[in-house]
Amino acid sequence: MIIRKKFKFEGAHIVRNCSTDRCKKSIHGHSYIVEVFFTSNKLDNGYMIFDFGLTKKHIRDIIDSFDHAYSLWDGESDEFKNFFKSNSERWVEMPVSPSAESYSLMFLKLVDHILKHTTFSNGEGDVQVSSVRVHETETGYAEAFREDMDIIELDIHKIIFSDAVINEWNNKDELIKILTSRLD
Protein backbone atom coordinates (compact mmCIF):
# COMPACT_ATOMS: atom_id res chain seq x y z
CA MET A 1 0.00 0.00 0.00
CA ILE A 2 1.19 3.51 -0.79
CA ILE A 3 0.10 6.83 0.66
CA ARG A 4 1.08 10.25 -0.66
CA LYS A 5 1.56 13.63 0.99
CA LYS A 6 1.81 16.75 -1.17
CA PHE A 7 3.80 19.88 -0.35
CA LYS A 8 4.41 23.12 -2.28
CA PHE A 9 7.12 25.74 -2.44
CA GLU A 10 8.17 28.70 -4.58
CA GLY A 11 11.88 28.64 -5.25
CA ALA A 12 14.65 30.03 -7.44
CA HIS A 13 17.79 28.48 -8.84
CA ILE A 14 20.28 28.24 -11.69
CA VAL A 15 20.98 24.75 -13.05
CA ARG A 16 24.60 24.95 -14.15
CA ASN A 17 25.93 22.60 -16.83
CA CYS A 18 22.52 21.84 -18.33
CA SER A 19 21.83 22.18 -22.06
CA THR A 20 19.76 25.35 -22.33
CA ASP A 21 21.29 28.79 -21.89
CA ARG A 22 18.25 30.22 -20.10
CA CYS A 23 18.41 27.52 -17.48
CA LYS A 24 22.18 27.43 -16.94
CA LYS A 25 22.94 31.14 -17.18
CA SER A 26 19.95 32.89 -15.58
CA ILE A 27 18.28 32.89 -12.20
CA HIS A 28 14.72 31.68 -12.57
CA GLY A 29 12.00 30.29 -10.36
CA HIS A 30 9.29 27.67 -10.26
CA SER A 31 6.16 26.82 -8.34
CA TYR A 32 7.21 23.39 -7.12
CA ILE A 33 4.93 20.59 -6.02
CA VAL A 34 6.58 17.84 -4.02
CA GLU A 35 4.82 14.52 -3.58
CA VAL A 36 6.22 12.13 -0.98
CA PHE A 37 5.09 8.50 -1.18
CA PHE A 38 5.22 6.22 1.87
CA THR A 39 4.85 2.46 2.31
CA SER A 40 4.72 0.11 5.25
CA ASN A 41 4.49 -3.60 5.92
CA LYS A 42 1.39 -3.09 8.09
CA LEU A 43 -1.23 -0.57 9.18
CA ASP A 44 -1.08 1.15 12.57
CA ASN A 45 -3.73 1.11 15.32
CA GLY A 46 -5.73 3.70 13.37
CA TYR A 47 -5.62 1.47 10.25
CA MET A 48 -3.24 3.86 8.51
CA ILE A 49 0.34 3.49 7.29
CA PHE A 50 0.99 6.41 9.61
CA ASP A 51 -0.79 9.60 10.54
CA PHE A 52 -0.11 12.43 8.06
CA GLY A 53 0.03 14.72 11.08
CA LEU A 54 3.50 13.28 11.75
CA THR A 55 4.74 14.89 8.52
CA LYS A 56 4.09 18.30 10.09
CA LYS A 57 6.81 17.75 12.66
CA HIS A 58 9.95 17.76 10.45
CA ILE A 59 9.23 16.75 6.85
CA ARG A 60 7.10 19.83 6.17
CA ASP A 61 9.78 22.08 7.67
CA ILE A 62 12.51 20.59 5.46
CA ILE A 63 10.54 21.06 2.25
CA ASP A 64 9.30 24.49 3.35
CA SER A 65 12.97 25.46 3.79
CA PHE A 66 13.07 25.95 0.03
CA ASP A 67 10.02 28.25 -0.10
CA HIS A 68 10.97 31.76 -1.20
CA ALA A 69 14.60 30.69 -0.99
CA TYR A 70 17.46 30.52 -3.45
CA SER A 71 18.87 27.03 -4.00
CA LEU A 72 22.59 27.53 -4.26
CA TRP A 73 24.89 24.86 -5.68
CA ASP A 74 28.09 24.60 -3.64
CA GLY A 75 30.02 24.35 -6.92
CA GLU A 76 29.40 28.04 -7.63
CA SER A 77 32.25 30.54 -7.25
CA ASP A 78 32.86 31.94 -3.78
CA GLU A 79 32.02 35.41 -5.12
CA PHE A 80 28.61 34.20 -6.36
CA LYS A 81 27.84 32.32 -3.14
CA ASN A 82 28.86 35.26 -0.97
CA PHE A 83 26.68 37.60 -3.04
CA PHE A 84 23.57 35.50 -2.43
CA LYS A 85 24.32 34.84 1.20
CA SER A 86 24.80 38.54 1.88
CA ASN A 87 21.79 39.72 -0.15
CA SER A 88 19.16 37.13 0.70
CA GLU A 89 18.04 35.84 4.08
CA ARG A 90 16.59 32.59 2.74
CA TRP A 91 18.95 30.27 0.93
CA VAL A 92 19.96 26.62 0.94
CA GLU A 93 23.41 25.55 -0.21
CA MET A 94 23.33 22.10 -1.81
CA PRO A 95 26.14 19.68 -2.76
CA VAL A 96 24.45 19.17 -6.16
CA SER A 97 23.14 21.48 -8.86
CA PRO A 98 19.47 22.18 -8.04
CA SER A 99 17.66 20.34 -10.84
CA ALA A 100 14.28 18.66 -10.33
CA GLU A 101 16.14 15.35 -10.37
CA SER A 102 18.50 16.52 -7.63
CA TYR A 103 15.63 17.86 -5.54
CA SER A 104 13.78 14.54 -5.78
CA LEU A 105 16.89 12.58 -4.71
CA MET A 106 17.74 15.06 -1.96
CA PHE A 107 14.21 15.08 -0.51
CA LEU A 108 14.12 11.27 -0.74
CA LYS A 109 17.33 11.03 1.29
CA LEU A 110 16.24 13.71 3.77
CA VAL A 111 12.82 12.13 4.39
CA ASP A 112 14.41 8.68 4.69
CA HIS A 113 16.86 10.06 7.26
CA ILE A 114 14.06 11.76 9.22
CA LEU A 115 11.96 8.56 9.24
CA LYS A 116 14.92 6.55 10.55
CA HIS A 117 15.08 8.99 13.48
CA THR A 118 11.34 8.98 14.13
CA THR A 119 9.92 7.07 17.07
CA PHE A 120 6.54 5.70 16.09
CA SER A 121 4.18 4.89 18.94
CA ASN A 122 0.87 3.84 17.42
CA GLY A 123 1.66 0.33 16.22
CA GLU A 124 3.17 1.47 12.92
CA GLY A 125 5.10 -1.05 10.87
CA ASP A 126 8.28 -0.49 8.90
CA VAL A 127 7.35 2.94 7.47
CA GLN A 128 9.56 3.94 4.54
CA VAL A 129 9.60 6.62 1.88
CA SER A 130 9.21 4.78 -1.42
CA SER A 131 9.66 7.75 -3.76
CA VAL A 132 9.60 11.51 -4.06
CA ARG A 133 8.18 13.29 -7.07
CA VAL A 134 9.13 16.92 -7.70
CA HIS A 135 7.01 18.84 -10.21
CA GLU A 136 9.07 21.74 -11.51
CA THR A 137 6.46 22.80 -14.05
CA GLU A 138 2.88 21.90 -14.80
CA THR A 139 4.04 19.47 -17.48
CA GLY A 140 7.25 18.03 -16.06
CA TYR A 141 8.49 16.26 -12.97
CA ALA A 142 11.31 14.07 -11.73
CA GLU A 143 10.73 11.12 -9.43
CA ALA A 144 13.37 9.37 -7.35
CA PHE A 145 12.76 5.88 -5.98
CA ARG A 146 14.47 4.06 -3.09
CA GLU A 147 16.61 2.15 -5.58
CA ASP A 148 17.88 5.50 -6.94
CA MET A 149 19.33 6.65 -3.61
CA ASP A 150 22.91 6.10 -4.71
CA ILE A 151 22.56 7.24 -8.34
CA ILE A 152 24.66 10.29 -7.44
CA GLU A 153 26.81 11.16 -4.47
CA LEU A 154 24.63 13.37 -2.32
CA ASP A 155 25.59 13.64 1.32
CA ILE A 156 22.69 15.27 3.17
CA HIS A 157 25.12 16.40 5.87
CA LYS A 158 26.62 18.82 3.32
CA ILE A 159 23.33 20.71 2.88
CA ILE A 160 23.57 24.12 4.55
CA PHE A 161 20.43 26.01 5.53
CA SER A 162 20.60 29.75 6.20
CA ASP A 163 19.90 30.96 9.73
CA ALA A 164 16.63 32.55 8.53
CA VAL A 165 15.47 29.15 7.27
CA ILE A 166 16.52 27.28 10.42
CA ASN A 167 14.87 29.85 12.70
CA GLU A 168 11.48 29.09 11.10
CA TRP A 169 11.63 25.35 11.88
CA ASN A 170 9.00 24.36 14.45
CA ASN A 171 11.19 21.95 16.42
CA LYS A 172 14.50 23.55 15.49
CA ASP A 173 16.79 21.89 18.04
CA GLU A 174 15.36 18.43 17.43
CA LEU A 175 15.55 18.79 13.64
CA ILE A 176 19.15 20.05 13.78
CA LYS A 177 20.04 17.02 15.90
CA ILE A 178 18.41 14.67 13.38
CA LEU A 179 20.06 16.32 10.37
CA THR A 180 23.52 16.24 11.93
CA SER A 181 23.27 12.67 13.22
CA ARG A 182 24.61 9.70 11.35
CA LEU A 183 23.25 6.16 11.31
CA ASP A 184 26.42 4.09 11.27
Side-chain angles (χ1 to χ4, degrees):
M1 180 174 291
I2 295 176
I3 60 172
R4 175 199 69 137
K5 182 66 175 165
K6 183 167 75 170
F7 303 89
K8 297 179 182 183
F9 72 91
E10 307 290 332
H13 65 171
I14 296 176
V15 183
R16 301 290 189 199
N17 303 321
C18 70
S19 300
T20 59
D21 282 343
R22 281 186 178 185
C23 188
K24 71 182 174 186
K25 294 181 179 179
S26 299
I27 297 168
H28 60 284
H30 300 280
S31 296
Y32 291 92
I33 296 174
V34 179
E35 297 176 277
V36 182
F37 297 86
F38 300 94
T39 61
S40 181
N41 59 341
K42 67 179 244 183
L43 299 181
D44 69 7
N45 295 332
Y47 295 93
M48 300 184 283
I49 286 180
F50 78 105
D51 191 326
F52 277 141
L54 295 176
T55 64
K56 294 177 182 175
K57 189 169 184 184
H58 299 307
I59 295 170
R60 180 181 63 191
D61 280 348
I62 284 297
I63 295 171
D64 188 62
S65 296
F66 293 82
D67 188 50
H68 288 80
Y70 183 76
S71 294
L72 181 63
W73 176 38
D74 71 2
E76 295 284 2
S77 70
D78 288 339
E79 179 183 17
F80 190 81
K81 288 190 285 189
N82 291 335
F83 172 81
F84 268 95
K85 290 178 179 182
S86 63
N87 288 286
S88 180
E89 286 188 355
R90 293 184 57 80
W91 52 266
V92 179
E93 186 174 333
M94 303 166 47
V96 293
S97 188
S99 64
E101 291 85 349
S102 295
Y103 280 130
S104 63
L105 285 162
M106 182 182 59
F107 290 139
L108 179 73
K109 287 184 173 215
L110 285 165
V111 171
D112 183 64
H113 191 76
I114 290 167
L115 287 175
K116 287 177 180 173
H117 286 85
T118 299
T119 302
F120 294 103
S121 59
N122 195 32
E124 294 88 354
D126 181 24
V127 177
Q128 295 188 345
V129 57
S130 62
S131 69
V132 174
R133 183 180 296 162
V134 176
H135 298 259
E136 189 172 80
T137 66
E138 191 174 303
T139 60
Y141 69 81
E143 185 167 5
F145 298 88
R146 288 194 70 75
E147 57 268 21
D148 298 327
M149 286 246 232
D150 296 321
I151 201 168
I152 59 171
E153 186 176 327
L154 196 167
D155 183 351
I156 63 168
H157 298 96
K158 293 182 178 178
I159 301 167
I160 302 169
F161 299 92
S162 70
D163 289 341
V165 168
I166 291 170
N167 288 332
E168 290 184 8
W169 292 344
N170 291 309
N171 295 291
K172 177 173 65 170
D173 294 336
E174 186 177 332
L175 186 51
I176 290 169
K177 184 177 178 183
I178 289 170
L179 292 176
T180 57
S181 67
R182 297 197 181 261
L183 292 171
D184 298 324

